[in-house]
Amino acid sequence: MSDPFPRRGGHLHAEGVPIARIVEQAGTPVFIYSATALCEAYDALTTALARVRHTVCYSIKSNMNLAVVRTLVARGAGIDATSGGELFRALRAGADPSKIVYSGVGKTDPEINRALDAGIKLFNIESRAELRRIDACAEAKGCVAPIGFRVNPDVDPRTHPYISTGLRTSKFGIPIAEAVEAYAEAKALDHVCVVGVDCHIGSQILSIEPLADALARVRSLVEELRKAGHRIEIIDVGGGIGVRYQKEEPPSPALYAETVIGIVGDLDCEIVVEPGRSITANAGILITRVLYQKSNEAKHFVIVDAAMNDLIRPSLYQAYQRIEPVGPPRAPEQTVDIVGPVCESGDFLARERLLPRAEPGDLFAVRSAGAYGFAMSSNYNGRPRAAEVLVRGERFAVVRKRETLEDLVRGESVPEELTG
Ligand code: LLP
């Protein structure tokens, strides 16, 4: 499918369904995901890697909706989880535990225990202290944890600083120079079994060179570890493949796979990849309704019903996400700030953007919202979180109800004796 959200007869659709029809049922703001686009992105990567033994472990952090995860799991995907909550969601969506990898710098004992109980494929360990915790948890259960270290290769992925993870200054992984020593320590423990090496250098990576640099360092490490007697069977190359938001030219699945296979393909290891954004970003959009417009000397504001609590990427990373009207574009175009109702000047979806004229009641679509959209949403300013809809062909379903006001106070209590 070229575009899962095509314009037909002037009106934007999600696959075969007019978006206006979805909004009638689900309201706004609403995230809409294309099942076909999810499957196509997954298929493109797994096909490109078909020459080598591999598992595509979808990085659930980018979009953890159960129906989205289920769509990918049903297609054969494994899962990259980063917390006990993500592991719970993966299992709830029917993921095969033997295809789940688990990274994260702060794994707690309960999280480790749940992963051990589930029987996951691989713990990607981020410190030597964590190694000892995992060994202790596994000992208490009388089992052995399959592990690898996440190594930090000190490579600059040339992306936004908040999503660069493979630099020396980053909190992630262990320095690659200390890896041999860390693996030796692991080998001496009875309740962990060394099976892999992991490396993830960042997200929204648009050039292949940093990935290639990091992989070359991982390759040398694997060779060194094997010489030291470790059985390295899995190389987890992380996620991070960039996507097109505006005019970016991210590496294609073919180029990415060629690079990975070219550098580590002959080591007789299973290759694990952890893509998030490249599976989900362009399979999703956020639909919002225009509430008001106003101008001052400097600006023209279009105030919509979605805000930074629904989609924080523009505010947090100054990210550009394409915006277009759902109905036929009105003339003339005007330069506007698209802002939400939240009480912060940082609450915007777009700034100084040339867009077709808007009128109150119009619907706008924010593109590329399938990754790190709903997943990063919050209830800030007392805003119930948006609904989520999944579309396949001519059919659609609400896969997460809009939160209610009651949802906003769920779990809270007002103890009389403390509140006066
Ligand atoms: N594996 C690990 C260990 C990760 O930390 C991440 C992302 C991924 C895989 C998936 O990366 P992806 O393929 O999606 O680039 N909220 C930010 C992105 C944060 C990425 C965090 N880690 C954003 O909206 O741009």
Short mmCIF file of all heavy atoms in Angstrom, two decimals, residues 57 59 61-62 80 82 103-104 124 126 150 162-163 165 172 198 200 202-205 236 238-242 245 274-280 313 316-317 319 371-373 376, ligand 1:
data_model
loop_
_atom_site.label_atom_id
_atom_site.label_comp_id
_atom_site.label_asym_id
_atom_site.label_seq_id
_atom_site.Cartn_x
_atom_site.Cartn_y
_atom_site.Cartn_z
N CYS A 57 11.79 -8.28 16.69
CA CYS A 57 11.15 -8.05 17.98
C CYS A 57 10.61 -6.63 18.00
O CYS A 57 11.36 -5.67 18.24
CB CYS A 57 12.13 -8.29 19.12
SG CYS A 57 12.57 -10.02 19.31
N SER A 59 9.38 -3.22 18.88
CA SER A 59 9.62 -2.42 20.09
C SER A 59 8.30 -1.82 20.54
O SER A 59 7.83 -0.80 20.03
CB SER A 59 10.66 -1.34 19.80
OG SER A 59 11.13 -0.82 21.02
N LYS A 61 7.31 -0.16 22.93
CA LYS A 61 7.22 1.16 23.53
C LYS A 61 6.66 2.19 22.55
O LYS A 61 6.09 3.17 22.95
CB LYS A 61 8.57 1.63 24.07
CG LYS A 61 9.62 1.83 23.00
CD LYS A 61 10.90 2.46 23.55
CE LYS A 61 11.72 1.51 24.39
NZ LYS A 61 12.36 0.40 23.63
N SER A 62 6.83 1.95 21.25
CA SER A 62 6.38 2.96 20.28
C SER A 62 4.86 3.01 20.18
O SER A 62 4.29 4.05 19.87
CB SER A 62 7.00 2.70 18.91
OG SER A 62 6.40 1.59 18.28
N ASP A 80 10.20 -6.48 21.77
CA ASP A 80 11.23 -5.86 22.59
C ASP A 80 10.49 -5.08 23.68
O ASP A 80 9.77 -4.14 23.37
CB ASP A 80 12.08 -4.93 21.72
CG ASP A 80 12.78 -3.84 22.54
OD1 ASP A 80 13.33 -4.18 23.59
OD2 ASP A 80 12.75 -2.67 22.11
N THR A 82 10.55 -3.20 27.68
CA THR A 82 11.47 -2.36 28.41
C THR A 82 11.04 -2.17 29.86
O THR A 82 11.66 -1.46 30.61
CB THR A 82 11.58 -1.02 27.63
OG1 THR A 82 12.84 -0.47 27.80
CG2 THR A 82 10.51 -0.05 27.99
N SER A 103 15.10 -5.17 27.53
CA SER A 103 16.16 -4.21 27.85
C SER A 103 15.65 -3.25 28.91
O SER A 103 14.46 -3.26 29.24
CB SER A 103 16.55 -3.40 26.61
OG SER A 103 16.83 -4.24 25.53
N GLY A 104 16.52 -2.38 29.41
CA GLY A 104 16.09 -1.36 30.37
C GLY A 104 17.10 -1.22 31.49
O GLY A 104 17.55 -2.23 32.04
N ASN A 124 18.59 -8.25 28.11
CA ASN A 124 19.71 -7.38 27.72
C ASN A 124 20.11 -6.58 28.95
O ASN A 124 19.42 -5.66 29.37
CB ASN A 124 19.30 -6.47 26.56
CG ASN A 124 19.20 -7.25 25.26
OD1 ASN A 124 20.00 -8.17 25.02
ND2 ASN A 124 18.24 -6.91 24.42
N GLU A 126 22.13 -4.15 31.50
CA GLU A 126 22.69 -2.82 31.28
C GLU A 126 23.73 -2.41 32.33
O GLU A 126 24.23 -1.30 32.30
CB GLU A 126 21.55 -1.80 31.21
CG GLU A 126 20.47 -2.20 30.19
CD GLU A 126 20.05 -1.09 29.25
OE1 GLU A 126 20.73 -0.06 29.21
OE2 GLU A 126 19.05 -1.29 28.55
N ARG A 150 23.98 -5.28 27.04
CA ARG A 150 23.82 -4.19 26.09
C ARG A 150 25.11 -3.39 26.15
O ARG A 150 25.47 -2.86 27.20
CB ARG A 150 22.64 -3.32 26.50
CG ARG A 150 22.49 -2.08 25.63
CD ARG A 150 21.22 -1.38 25.94
NE ARG A 150 21.07 -0.16 25.16
CZ ARG A 150 19.99 0.61 25.21
NH1 ARG A 150 19.00 0.29 26.01
NH2 ARG A 150 19.91 1.69 24.48
N TYR A 162 18.01 13.73 22.87
CA TYR A 162 17.21 12.97 23.84
C TYR A 162 17.06 11.51 23.42
O TYR A 162 16.69 10.68 24.24
CB TYR A 162 15.80 13.55 23.97
CG TYR A 162 15.70 14.89 24.65
CD1 TYR A 162 16.83 15.59 25.04
CD2 TYR A 162 14.46 15.45 24.90
CE1 TYR A 162 16.72 16.82 25.65
CE2 TYR A 162 14.35 16.68 25.52
CZ TYR A 162 15.49 17.36 25.88
OH TYR A 162 15.36 18.58 26.48
N ILE A 163 17.25 11.21 22.16
CA ILE A 163 17.04 9.83 21.70
C ILE A 163 18.33 9.22 21.16
O ILE A 163 18.31 8.26 20.42
CB ILE A 163 15.86 9.72 20.70
CG1 ILE A 163 16.01 10.71 19.54
CG2 ILE A 163 14.54 9.96 21.42
CD1 ILE A 163 14.91 10.59 18.49
N THR A 165 21.43 7.10 22.29
CA THR A 165 21.64 6.24 23.45
C THR A 165 22.99 5.55 23.46
O THR A 165 23.34 4.89 24.43
CB THR A 165 20.54 5.16 23.52
OG1 THR A 165 20.49 4.50 22.26
CG2 THR A 165 19.19 5.75 23.83
N PHE A 172 22.90 4.31 29.07
CA PHE A 172 22.53 2.98 28.61
C PHE A 172 23.73 2.04 28.46
O PHE A 172 24.81 2.45 28.05
CB PHE A 172 21.80 3.07 27.26
CG PHE A 172 20.49 3.78 27.39
CD1 PHE A 172 20.38 5.11 27.02
CD2 PHE A 172 19.39 3.15 27.92
CE1 PHE A 172 19.17 5.78 27.16
CE2 PHE A 172 18.18 3.81 28.07
CZ PHE A 172 18.08 5.13 27.69
N ASP A 198 24.08 -7.27 22.72
CA ASP A 198 23.05 -6.33 22.29
C ASP A 198 23.64 -4.94 22.17
O ASP A 198 24.55 -4.56 22.91
CB ASP A 198 21.92 -6.32 23.34
CG ASP A 198 20.94 -5.18 23.15
OD1 ASP A 198 20.48 -4.99 22.02
OD2 ASP A 198 20.61 -4.51 24.15
N HIS A 200 22.11 -0.86 20.99
CA HIS A 200 21.09 0.04 20.40
C HIS A 200 21.62 1.45 20.57
O HIS A 200 21.85 1.89 21.69
CB HIS A 200 19.75 -0.14 21.14
CG HIS A 200 18.74 0.90 20.78
ND1 HIS A 200 17.92 0.80 19.67
CD2 HIS A 200 18.42 2.08 21.36
CE1 HIS A 200 17.14 1.87 19.60
NE2 HIS A 200 17.42 2.66 20.61
N GLY A 202 20.36 4.47 19.23
CA GLY A 202 19.48 5.64 19.20
C GLY A 202 18.30 5.42 18.29
O GLY A 202 18.11 4.33 17.76
N SER A 203 17.52 6.48 18.14
CA SER A 203 16.25 6.36 17.44
C SER A 203 16.19 7.42 16.33
O SER A 203 16.90 8.43 16.40
CB SER A 203 15.14 6.59 18.46
OG SER A 203 13.90 6.19 17.97
N GLN A 204 15.31 7.20 15.36
CA GLN A 204 15.18 8.09 14.20
C GLN A 204 16.56 8.31 13.55
O GLN A 204 17.01 9.43 13.30
CB GLN A 204 14.51 9.42 14.60
CG GLN A 204 14.22 10.41 13.46
CD GLN A 204 13.34 9.85 12.35
OE1 GLN A 204 12.85 8.74 12.41
NE2 GLN A 204 13.15 10.61 11.29
N ILE A 205 17.22 7.19 13.27
CA ILE A 205 18.54 7.23 12.64
C ILE A 205 18.34 7.27 11.12
O ILE A 205 17.63 6.44 10.56
CB ILE A 205 19.38 6.00 13.05
CG1 ILE A 205 19.58 6.02 14.57
CG2 ILE A 205 20.71 5.99 12.32
CD1 ILE A 205 20.22 4.77 15.11
N ASP A 236 21.75 -8.92 19.01
CA ASP A 236 20.59 -8.03 18.99
C ASP A 236 21.10 -6.66 18.54
O ASP A 236 21.90 -6.03 19.24
CB ASP A 236 19.99 -7.98 20.41
CG ASP A 236 18.74 -7.10 20.48
OD1 ASP A 236 18.57 -6.24 19.60
OD2 ASP A 236 17.97 -7.28 21.43
N GLY A 238 19.36 -3.98 18.03
CA GLY A 238 18.56 -2.84 18.49
C GLY A 238 17.59 -2.36 17.42
O GLY A 238 17.36 -3.03 16.41
N GLY A 239 17.01 -1.18 17.70
CA GLY A 239 16.06 -0.59 16.74
C GLY A 239 16.65 0.68 16.18
O GLY A 239 17.86 0.78 15.99
N GLY A 240 15.78 1.66 15.94
CA GLY A 240 16.29 2.98 15.60
C GLY A 240 16.18 3.41 14.16
O GLY A 240 16.53 4.55 13.84
N ILE A 241 15.71 2.54 13.28
CA ILE A 241 15.61 2.93 11.87
C ILE A 241 14.66 4.12 11.75
O ILE A 241 13.54 4.09 12.26
CB ILE A 241 15.06 1.78 11.00
CG1 ILE A 241 15.82 0.48 11.27
CG2 ILE A 241 15.10 2.14 9.52
CD1 ILE A 241 15.12 -0.76 10.70
N GLY A 242 15.12 5.16 11.08
CA GLY A 242 14.34 6.38 10.97
C GLY A 242 13.18 6.24 10.01
O GLY A 242 13.06 5.26 9.26
N TYR A 245 9.15 11.90 8.18
CA TYR A 245 8.11 12.76 8.72
C TYR A 245 7.81 13.87 7.71
O TYR A 245 6.69 14.29 7.54
CB TYR A 245 8.56 13.39 10.04
CG TYR A 245 8.55 12.43 11.22
CD1 TYR A 245 9.71 11.82 11.67
CD2 TYR A 245 7.35 12.12 11.87
CE1 TYR A 245 9.68 10.95 12.75
CE2 TYR A 245 7.31 11.25 12.95
CZ TYR A 245 8.49 10.67 13.38
OH TYR A 245 8.46 9.80 14.45
N GLU A 274 15.04 -4.68 16.71
CA GLU A 274 14.03 -4.12 17.62
C GLU A 274 13.40 -2.85 17.04
O GLU A 274 13.49 -1.79 17.64
CB GLU A 274 14.68 -3.77 18.96
CG GLU A 274 15.36 -4.91 19.68
CD GLU A 274 16.07 -4.45 20.96
OE1 GLU A 274 16.16 -3.23 21.19
OE2 GLU A 274 16.51 -5.32 21.72
N PRO A 275 12.74 -2.94 15.90
CA PRO A 275 12.18 -1.72 15.32
C PRO A 275 10.89 -1.31 16.02
O PRO A 275 10.05 -2.15 16.33
CB PRO A 275 11.87 -2.14 13.88
CG PRO A 275 11.53 -3.60 14.01
CD PRO A 275 12.42 -4.14 15.10
N GLY A 276 10.73 -0.04 16.27
CA GLY A 276 9.49 0.48 16.82
C GLY A 276 8.89 1.45 15.82
O GLY A 276 7.97 1.14 15.07
N ARG A 277 9.50 2.64 15.77
CA ARG A 277 9.00 3.72 14.93
C ARG A 277 8.79 3.31 13.46
O ARG A 277 7.80 3.68 12.84
CB ARG A 277 10.00 4.88 14.98
CG ARG A 277 9.52 6.14 14.32
CD ARG A 277 10.69 7.14 14.17
NE ARG A 277 11.51 7.24 15.33
CZ ARG A 277 11.41 8.21 16.26
NH1 ARG A 277 10.50 9.14 16.14
NH2 ARG A 277 12.24 8.24 17.28
N SER A 278 9.76 2.55 12.91
CA SER A 278 9.66 2.23 11.48
C SER A 278 8.51 1.28 11.19
O SER A 278 8.11 1.11 10.04
CB SER A 278 10.99 1.65 10.97
OG SER A 278 11.35 0.51 11.74
N ILE A 279 7.94 0.66 12.23
CA ILE A 279 6.75 -0.17 12.03
C ILE A 279 5.48 0.66 12.21
O ILE A 279 4.52 0.51 11.48
CB ILE A 279 6.72 -1.34 13.06
CG1 ILE A 279 8.01 -2.17 13.02
CG2 ILE A 279 5.47 -2.21 12.87
CD1 ILE A 279 8.10 -3.17 11.91
N THR A 280 5.50 1.53 13.23
CA THR A 280 4.22 2.14 13.63
C THR A 280 4.02 3.61 13.22
O THR A 280 2.87 4.03 13.07
CB THR A 280 4.06 2.08 15.17
OG1 THR A 280 5.25 2.56 15.79
CG2 THR A 280 3.78 0.67 15.63
N ARG A 313 5.44 14.95 20.95
CA ARG A 313 6.68 15.02 20.15
C ARG A 313 7.01 16.43 19.65
O ARG A 313 8.17 16.85 19.74
CB ARG A 313 6.64 14.03 18.99
CG ARG A 313 6.44 12.57 19.43
CD ARG A 313 6.71 11.57 18.31
NE ARG A 313 8.11 11.52 17.96
CZ ARG A 313 8.64 12.16 16.96
NH1 ARG A 313 7.90 12.85 16.14
NH2 ARG A 313 9.94 12.09 16.76
N LEU A 316 8.26 18.33 22.77
CA LEU A 316 9.43 17.79 23.46
C LEU A 316 10.69 17.76 22.59
O LEU A 316 11.78 17.98 23.08
CB LEU A 316 9.10 16.38 23.97
CG LEU A 316 10.10 15.70 24.90
CD1 LEU A 316 10.35 16.53 26.15
CD2 LEU A 316 9.61 14.31 25.30
N TYR A 317 10.52 17.42 21.33
CA TYR A 317 11.70 17.28 20.45
C TYR A 317 11.70 18.29 19.31
O TYR A 317 12.45 18.13 18.36
CB TYR A 317 11.74 15.89 19.81
CG TYR A 317 11.48 14.72 20.73
CD1 TYR A 317 10.32 13.96 20.59
CD2 TYR A 317 12.39 14.35 21.71
CE1 TYR A 317 10.08 12.87 21.40
CE2 TYR A 317 12.15 13.27 22.53
CZ TYR A 317 10.99 12.54 22.38
OH TYR A 317 10.75 11.47 23.18
N ALA A 319 9.66 18.28 17.09
CA ALA A 319 9.47 17.38 15.96
C ALA A 319 8.48 17.96 14.96
O ALA A 319 7.50 18.59 15.35
CB ALA A 319 8.97 16.03 16.45
N ALA A 371 3.67 6.20 16.15
CA ALA A 371 4.77 5.88 17.07
C ALA A 371 4.95 7.01 18.07
O ALA A 371 5.01 8.18 17.68
CB ALA A 371 6.07 5.67 16.30
N TYR A 372 5.07 6.66 19.33
CA TYR A 372 5.35 7.62 20.40
C TYR A 372 4.30 8.74 20.43
O TYR A 372 4.60 9.88 20.73
CB TYR A 372 6.77 8.18 20.26
CG TYR A 372 7.81 7.08 20.20
CD1 TYR A 372 8.52 6.82 19.02
CD2 TYR A 372 8.05 6.26 21.30
CE1 TYR A 372 9.44 5.77 18.95
CE2 TYR A 372 8.96 5.22 21.24
CZ TYR A 372 9.65 4.98 20.07
OH TYR A 372 10.55 3.95 20.00
N GLY A 373 3.08 8.40 20.05
CA GLY A 373 1.95 9.32 20.13
C GLY A 373 1.17 8.98 21.39
O GLY A 373 1.51 9.44 22.49
N MET A 376 3.02 8.05 24.63
CA MET A 376 3.61 9.07 25.50
C MET A 376 2.55 10.04 26.02
O MET A 376 2.88 11.08 26.58
CB MET A 376 4.69 9.86 24.75
CG MET A 376 5.88 9.01 24.33
SD MET A 376 7.11 9.98 23.43
CE MET A 376 7.99 10.75 24.80
N1 LLP B 1 15.37 -0.83 21.41
C1 LLP B 1 15.72 -0.06 22.44
C2 LLP B 1 16.62 -0.60 23.46
C3 LLP B 1 15.23 1.26 22.53
O1 LLP B 1 15.59 2.02 23.55
C4 LLP B 1 14.37 1.75 21.53
C5 LLP B 1 13.83 3.12 21.60
C6 LLP B 1 14.02 0.89 20.47
C7 LLP B 1 14.55 -0.39 20.44
C8 LLP B 1 13.10 1.31 19.36
O2 LLP B 1 13.59 2.39 18.66
P1 LLP B 1 12.85 2.87 17.32
O3 LLP B 1 12.97 1.76 16.30
O4 LLP B 1 11.45 3.17 17.64
O5 LLP B 1 13.62 4.09 16.93
N2 LLP B 1 10.04 9.04 22.14
C9 LLP B 1 11.05 9.24 21.13
C10 LLP B 1 11.75 7.95 20.77
C11 LLP B 1 12.34 7.22 21.96
C12 LLP B 1 13.06 5.95 21.60
C13 LLP B 1 13.43 5.19 22.82
N3 LLP B 1 14.04 3.91 22.56
C14 LLP B 1 10.41 9.93 19.92
O6 LLP B 1 9.20 10.15 19.92
O7 LLP B 1 11.10 10.29 18.95
#
